[in-house]
Amino acid sequence: MKTIPKIGLAILLVTLAYSCKQSDNASVSEEMTSADVVSSSAAVEKPDSKRQFIRTADVKFRVKNVPQSTYAIENATTKHGGFVIYTNLQSSISETETSKISQDSLVETTKYSVENNITIRVPNTQLDTVIKTIAKQIDFLDYRVIKADDVSLQLLSNELAQNRLKSSGNRVTNAIDSKGKKLNQIVTSEDTLESKKEQLDNKKIENLSLRDQVNFSTLTLNIYQRETVRQEKIANTENKMISRSHLGIKLWDSIKSGWFILEDIVSFIIQFWTIILIGIAIWIVIKKFKAAKK
């Protein structure tokens, strides 16, 4: 009879072990964050490698809040020795509606989306770290493209070209100093020397540009958020009833207007007081004359 409890105990232990394994697998899956998805070995600098890589990354993803994520990305860039070379934060309105809520008020509903295109440059040794830091802002990943272009041979080719041009330039210089006696020979040699110097300078600049791209990786980020709805209460300026005054105010305005008109009439009449005075005097004389006649 003791065998049954032992079998039950064994089944219970197997069940518990299987449950723990499933739980561990679930934990491992949960630990796979956006940083693991976005990161790549192409973004990792190998200190012992003799190869020279130009590393670039192009990532598009959705965030919770574009302005906040922008500040976080810029801060992470600065913290790891990088700098921002381009940022274009903007809102795009997709729809605007206006609804009447009272006689003098409206509600304006605006649907818009916010996005930002950012280009940053960071030290090549910090590229993977910066990508993982930025990945914390990801709500949904659209795509990520990471490239590592080997330019070791191109750098070597430019250096060899510089050496050849330098040697060739030195030979032309010596030829001018030792053999260039005639004017036309000197002019031709000088032109050749200038051309060599220009080619040498171009190769130097090209190598400097390549080494700059090797030392500082370029990240192009396109971030956006879900469409946002904004509502704002505004005045109903198209309602003509708003501009109508109260009856009492209208009556008072009419009385004031009538008084002003009366003042104007009186002022106009007073301007002719001399004519009125002469007219009154003539009227009095005529009246007295008629009375004396009777």
Side-chain angles (χ1 to χ4, degrees), residues 34-44 55-59 61 73 76-77 80 120 122-124 126-138 141 144-147 217-221:
S34 298
D36 299 311
V37 176
V38 176
S39 182
S40 169
S41 59
V44 179
R55 291 181 170 84
T56 59
D58 187 6
V59 190
F61 55 94
I73 291 169
T77 301
H80 294 285
I120 62 176
V122 296
N124 58 344
Q126 298 296 316
L127 177 61
D128 187 55
T129 302
V130 172
I131 289 176
K132 289 180 178 178
T133 303
I134 291 173
K136 296 176 183 178
Q137 302 297 321
I138 295 178
L141 176 66
R144 74 107 164 96
V145 180
I146 299 176
K147 295 172 61 179
S217 302
T218 302
L219 282 79
T220 303
L221 309 173

Side-chain angles (χ1 to χ4, degrees), residues 40-215:
S40 169
S41 59
V44 179
E45 175 72 12
K46 297 179 181 179
D48 297 333
S49 176
K50 294 182 179 180
R51 294 187 175 274
Q52 302 287 314
F53 290 96
I54 293 178
R55 291 181 170 84
T56 59
D58 187 6
V59 190
K60 181 178 181 180
F61 55 94
R62 187 180 68 211
V63 298
K64 296 291 186 182
N65 185 288
V66 169
Q68 291 180 6
S69 294
T70 297
Y71 300 143
I73 291 169
E74 291 177 351
N75 290 337
T77 301
T78 304
K79 179 180 178 181
H80 294 285
F83 48 92
V84 179
I85 62 174
Y86 178 78
T87 177
N88 182 17
L89 177 64
Q90 60 181 335
S91 298
S92 301
I93 297 175
S94 59
E95 185 180 354
T96 302
E97 293 182 351
T98 304
S99 302
K100 184 178 179 181
I101 58 174
S102 66
Q103 195 68 27
D104 58 352
S105 300
L106 304 171
V107 167
E108 183 181 70
T109 303
T110 304
K111 295 181 180 179
Y112 65 97
S113 56
V114 183
E115 65 174 343
N116 192 2
N117 292 310
I118 312 170
T119 304
I120 62 176
R121 300 195 66 196
V122 296
N124 58 344
T125 55
Q126 298 296 316
L127 177 61
D128 187 55
T129 302
V130 172
I131 289 176
K132 289 180 178 178
T133 303
I134 291 173
K136 296 176 183 178
Q137 302 297 321
I138 295 178
D139 183 42
F140 175 81
L141 176 66
D142 290 73
Y143 63 79
R144 74 107 164 96
V145 180
I146 299 176
K147 295 172 61 179
D149 295 324
D150 189 354
V151 293
S152 305
L153 293 178
Q154 189 174 352
L155 286 167
L156 178 60
S157 175
N158 287 342
E159 289 175 359
L160 294 174
Q162 288 179 58
N163 293 334
R164 289 196 302 272
L165 289 168
K166 188 176 180 180
S167 298
S168 177
N170 290 336
R171 288 197 299 272
V172 173
T173 302
N174 293 332
I176 292 172
D177 294 338
S178 60
K179 299 178 180 179
K181 302 300 183 181
K182 295 182 180 180
L183 180 61
N184 59 344
Q185 293 177 341
I186 295 175
V187 171
T188 303
S189 299
E190 289 286 354
D191 290 341
T192 303
L193 181 59
E194 288 300 318
S195 177
K196 297 291 184 183
K197 287 182 178 180
E198 183 179 358
Q199 294 177 49
L200 180 61
D201 291 341
N202 290 336
K203 289 297 180 181
K204 286 181 179 179
I205 293 172
E206 186 177 342
N207 256 18
L208 287 173
S209 176
L210 288 174
R211 292 192 182 281
D212 177 66
Q213 295 176 68
V214 168
N215 293 331

Side-chain angles (χ1 to χ4, degrees), residues 223-240:
I223 63 175
Y224 65 98
Q225 65 185 51
R226 292 184 183 275
E227 188 175 61
T228 305
V229 178
R230 180 177 181 269
Q231 290 187 321
E232 182 182 7
K233 184 178 179 181
I234 60 176
N236 185 6
T237 56
E238 296 181 358
N239 187 0
K240 296 181 179 179

Side-chain angles (χ1 to χ4, degrees), residues 265-292:
I265 293 172
V266 172
S267 298
F268 177 77
I269 294 173
I270 290 176
Q271 291 179 10
F272 304 97
W273 65 272
T274 53
I275 297 175
I276 295 173
L277 184 61
I278 293 172
I280 292 174
I282 293 173
W283 179 75
I284 293 173
V285 170
I286 294 173
K287 190 175 181 181
K288 286 184 177 182
F289 178 75
K290 288 183 178 179

